Amino acid sequence: MEKAYNPNNVEDRIYKMWQEKGYFSARVDKSKKVFSLVIPPPNITGILHMGHVLDNTPQDIMVRFKRMQGHSSCWVPGTDHAGIATQNAVERKLAESENLSRHTLGRERFVERIWQWKEQFGETIIQQLKKLGCSCDWQHLRFTMDNDYSNAVKEVFIRLYEKGLVYRGNYIINWCPRCLTALSDEEVEYEEVEGGLYWIRYPLAKSIADTPRSTLNAQRYIVVATTRPETMLGDTAVAVNPQDNRYKEYLGKTLILPIVNREIPIITDEIVEKDFGSGAVKVTPAHDPNDFLMGQKHNLAFINVMAPDAKMNENAGEYKGLDRLECRKRIINRLSEEGLLEKQEKYLHSVGHCYRCETMIEPYLSTQWFVRMKPLTEPAIKAVAGDEGKAEIQFYPSHWTKVYLNWLENIRDWCISRQLWWGHRIPVWYCQGLSEVRNSQSAIRNSSCPPIASRETPNACPKCGSTNLVQDEDVLDTWFSSWLWPFVVFGWPEKTEDLEYFYPTSVLNSGKDILFFWVARMIMAGYEFTGRAPFRDIYIHGIARDSIGRKLSKSLGNSPDPLNLINKYGADALRFGIMANIPLGGDINLSDEVYESGRNFCNKLWNASRLVLTSVNASDVWRSASDIKTQDPRPTTHDAFEDRWILIRLNTAILDYTRALETYEFSEAAHIVYHFFWGDLCDWYLEIIKPRLYSNDDNIALSIIPEIFSRLLKLLHPYIPFITEELWQKFREKYQDIFSSDALIIAPWPEADSSLIDLETEKRMGVIIDIIRSVRNIRNKMNIDKKLPLDCIISAESDEAIRGIKEHQNLISQQTNLKGIEWTVRADRPSQSVTEIVGALKIFVPLEGIIDVELEKKRLQSRLTKVQEQLEKVRNKLDNKDFTARAPQEVIQKETAKLGELSQQFDNLQEALRSLSSIQMAE
């Protein structure tokens, strides 16, 4: 067996074996329980990033766990066509490599190019997910624009249209001037931006200005505060709150709109906040959602002053063609010159940006397709709102329930049309009658016939019989196809065998950032189109951050390439390091230390297995766990107490670990198995029985170790599948009766034996371990050679308190190199001794003649001084803002780790000095 584990020699070979033997494939088997889940489909533009690692590792853990439990386990993989992202990517590639635009190519040829691009690059991320170890059922691989999937999307649109839940209307929407498309509310990301708040004077109309000052306030204008003065060119009113007494005498009057010189009314509306700015707001119905509502309510004109690319249009007069921000500057300058800018001040406010290209979005009046969401929310609310444990759908962690319900209760209609060429074309046609212009926009404006929503391309207009029809040019929002993912992947709307067997799915794993984009909408779609919840449980994970808590992003340069990390550390190390360090539903700060902790764990497993495989000879005598528990509890020549204890700990770990996985507590589960393996098994049991491993007459240890490792590898397999499979095959060569399954991936999950769980034995061993640690701690603090035998006195308040422990003094002495142990009741502390407390026990180690107290104090004081100097240097460096601002992140990480190590050294040295002082005091 190789001395060191090299994942690069193992992982690809193991994955190929799994695939070739069909271990990932799920089949309809009504004799088995079902476990199914669907992957959140990554974009075809995507390459593996740390978010995918965080997203897919828990899914793979779950499906491997359930597969070993005997469930027919189906993890459906697939990719999303990702309308905006893919179109942008292909447009960039065409521009860079061929100096072409999509408009030069035309729609049909451009879409052909995207399909070519998809075939070439679209499944890159699928191959990368395999590198991570994802055991998806690749025979179920789906794409959101497959023919069958596209037909299902049309079916959903038509059904909603026929129910009156899909409609077309002219509303204020979120518009991206870069992508030139509408966005839903959930596709807008808000950032705090320092802009300006501009206080503009709107003069009173001339007829009012001529009114005697005695009957009207001396002020001849109303001041309006705005953050977007460029849109004032489209103002059609100024509004105040009806309860604002400052403006009572102006009600019903009119103002002159600066620059444009258009007369506009003063209106009242409860939506106006009296405390914002001056309490008077400009009303621009075509460029603000609240103003849009006021415009409808008060029958105001809607004047759009911008083109789709956010440049000013013909309604902006002399500013036509200017970018919106340049227009803002010029308007502010002109207002200032004309004495109409009362003041301006810096203003921090939240501004929406496109979630794809990060361009500042524009509230824009546009005709779009919408879904009425309120009628779809009732079953989705009811499914989650039940008492915890009784609701049909459970969130993990549970606090996401409140967030989800709050969003549904305040939901707005969903804008589903996108002004793109790549995506599911809206299945609506317009009749052009006798017109020769084949353009959907002109057809919409000019046709007297209603739109035709159809599953198939219609041959003629059902009203007038014209065959001159044109399809709507827009495509559907990407999420309109994604919200159908859990059931369409199994063949819906057809009643397939897969749909009947695997749907509803068992659990959904998702990031918190797409809770509203995707998760909530899938629940609504599930109830609307199948009458059932799409999944039972929802596990919401956090996001990956860097070591100082910043969100990972390309612009910050803090997002490592997972494939590089896999090549350096191995996929298992990456998986275990992350999952052991992420709290339930919380974010994780990633660093080299996280990946190294995973690698160290894998190396420890390899080394421990190598020790066992090279030390333990296959024995004809194999004693099961049930045989061990019947051994006489009293010490024998080879004390079986530690054997019983390790089997108790193993069964306790199986029970707790399985329970944690069932409730998606992945970090907790990792810590349970980590502490059993590294702590109980390696640090204690294997160290205790090392002398017995080489004994020819100790069949107990020889026989239970393979059984322990068999169960251990099964427990670890969902987290670190590659190394555990490799070790399983090596153990199988020697112990085929115990490692009986052809492959670990299909081995049965270990069951806990409740009869082997003995809290009293665990408690007793816990005290023994604490005693051993205490004696070792004294050696370390006092700098005493491990080979030097010591005396020890253990005292308690009663014989009863030490009786059970006393029986194991040989074990304690062996592990601490003690000449002997004196067991006493209520003993006084001996002179020149060091004391440790273990529960109700006092541990005394006499040191007379072993160390020179004064000399040792000088040595420790000298070390303490040096460590303190080093500590101050590191602290000063990290406190230096210039250093932390300019130094590379990895340098800051190293210095931070160094600070922690030095602080621990400093504390340990101080503790050792206090112990030496206590010896002198006792003298």
Side-chain angles (χ1 to χ4, degrees), residues 723-772:
I723 188 173
T724 51
E725 184 70 75
E726 178 76 353
L727 288 171
W728 181 269
Q729 300 302 330
K730 292 187 179 298
F731 271 100
R732 195 164 186 268
E733 293 172 8
K734 200 168 186 179
Y735 301 101
Q736 193 164 350
D737 288 344
I738 303 173
F739 297 79
S740 57
S741 296
D742 290 342
L744 176 57
I745 190 174
I746 55 169
W749 189 254
E751 297 289 335
D753 184 347
S754 57
S755 68
L756 273 177
I757 296 176
D758 179 356
L759 297 180
E760 183 56 40
T761 298
E762 285 198 63
K763 181 179 178 182
R764 185 186 298 184
M765 188 62 173
V767 175
I768 292 169
I769 288 172
D770 286 343
I771 292 172
I772 294 170

Side-chain angles (χ1 to χ4, degrees), residues 120-358:
Q120 186 176 359
F121 302 109
E123 292 190 3
T124 298
I125 194 168
I126 294 298
Q127 300 307 316
Q128 293 174 336
L129 287 172
K130 293 177 181 180
K131 291 287 289 184
L132 185 62
C134 295
S135 59
C136 300
D137 183 352
W138 300 111
Q139 292 181 347
H140 273 94
L141 182 66
R142 299 301 303 269
F143 175 52
T144 55
M145 283 185 64
D146 289 339
N147 284 335
D148 290 346
Y149 206 106
S150 293
N151 290 334
V153 171
K154 289 179 190 175
E155 180 67 28
V156 164
F157 183 94
I158 299 301
R159 288 192 190 186
L160 293 175
Y161 183 85
E162 290 173 346
K163 290 181 70 172
L165 295 179
V166 163
Y167 67 95
R168 197 167 187 273
N170 199 32
Y171 294 95
I172 288 285
I173 47 91
N174 304 298
W175 182 265
C176 176
R178 159 63 182 80
C179 300
L180 294 176
T181 184
L183 302 173
S184 69
D185 291 340
E186 292 72 35
E187 291 172 311
V188 178
E189 295 181 347
Y190 288 88
E191 299 175 16
E192 289 293 315
V193 173
E194 187 180 86
L197 184 62
Y198 306 92
W199 301 64
I200 303 170
R201 295 170 176 171
Y202 282 47
L204 294 166
K206 186 176 180 182
S207 59
I208 303 173
D210 291 339
T211 304
R213 289 178 183 270
S214 58
T215 59
L216 192 65
N217 189 299
Q219 183 172 294
R220 314 317 266 173
Y221 50 79
I222 285 181
V223 177
V224 168
T226 180
T227 59
R228 303 174 68 226
E230 67 277 11
T231 63
M232 68 180 290
L233 304 175
D235 287 0
T236 53
V238 165
V240 297
N241 190 289
Q243 305 302 317
D244 194 338
N245 293 328
R246 292 173 294 177
Y247 298 104
K248 274 190 176 181
E249 56 188 313
Y250 295 99
L251 301 185
K253 311 300 182 183
T254 57
L255 301 168
I256 298 298
L257 177 62
I259 299 176
V260 179
N261 293 323
R262 182 169 59 242
E263 196 167 331
I264 58 176
I266 303 170
I267 63 173
T268 62
D269 201 289
E270 293 80 0
I271 202 170
V272 179
E273 298 178 21
K274 292 190 292 183
D275 298 329
F276 175 76
S278 65
V281 297
K282 57 193 284 301
V283 181
T284 321
H287 290 279
D288 182 272
N290 288 332
D291 293 4
F292 175 83
L293 296 175
M294 282 194 280
Q296 286 185 318
K297 182 177 177 180
H298 297 278
N299 198 28
L300 301 175
F302 288 71
I303 302 174
N304 189 339
V305 297
M306 286 187 203
D309 61 358
K311 290 181 179 178
M312 309 310 289
N313 65 17
E314 62 279 1
N315 291 328
E318 64 186 87
Y319 301 102
K320 179 183 177 182
L322 289 179
D323 174 78
R324 55 184 164 169
L325 298 182
E326 178 60 28
C327 179
R328 180 183 299 180
K329 291 178 185 176
R330 296 199 186 186
I331 283 178
I332 291 303
N333 289 338
R334 180 166 171 183
L335 290 171
S336 180
E337 290 170 0
E338 295 182 3
L340 295 176
L341 181 65
E342 182 159 300
K343 62 177 178 177
Q344 68 182 73
E345 54 194 31
K346 290 181 179 179
Y347 185 68
L348 188 68
H349 60 139
S350 187
V351 177
H353 291 74
C354 174
Y355 80 116
R356 279 296 171 198
C357 68
E358 300 181 358

Side-chain angles (χ1 to χ4, degrees), residues 5-45:
Y5 176 63
N6 185 350
N8 295 324
N9 295 338
V10 172
E11 293 180 350
D12 289 346
R13 170 170 51 82
I14 292 291
Y15 198 92
K16 183 180 178 183
M17 180 270 288
W18 286 331
Q19 274 203 283
E20 287 178 348
K21 295 194 175 181
Y23 292 142
F24 302 157
S25 299
R27 296 174 179 83
V28 174
D29 184 347
K30 294 187 179 179
S31 67
K32 290 184 176 182
K33 292 182 179 179
V34 180
F35 180 81
S36 60
L37 69 164
V38 293
I39 197 171
N43 296 346
I44 57 171
T45 57

Side-chain angles (χ1 to χ4, degrees), residues 454-471:
S454 175
R455 294 170 178 83
E456 305 294 337
T457 302
N459 296 318
C461 174
K463 181 179 179 181
C464 70
S466 171
T467 58
N468 192 6
L469 305 178
V470 61
Q471 188 175 358

Side-chain angles (χ1 to χ4, degrees), residues 533-548:
F535 25 74
R536 181 186 68 248
D537 295 337
I538 302 170
Y539 169 71
I540 301 291
H541 63 74
I543 60 174
R545 299 183 179 276
D546 65 16
S547 61
I548 55 176

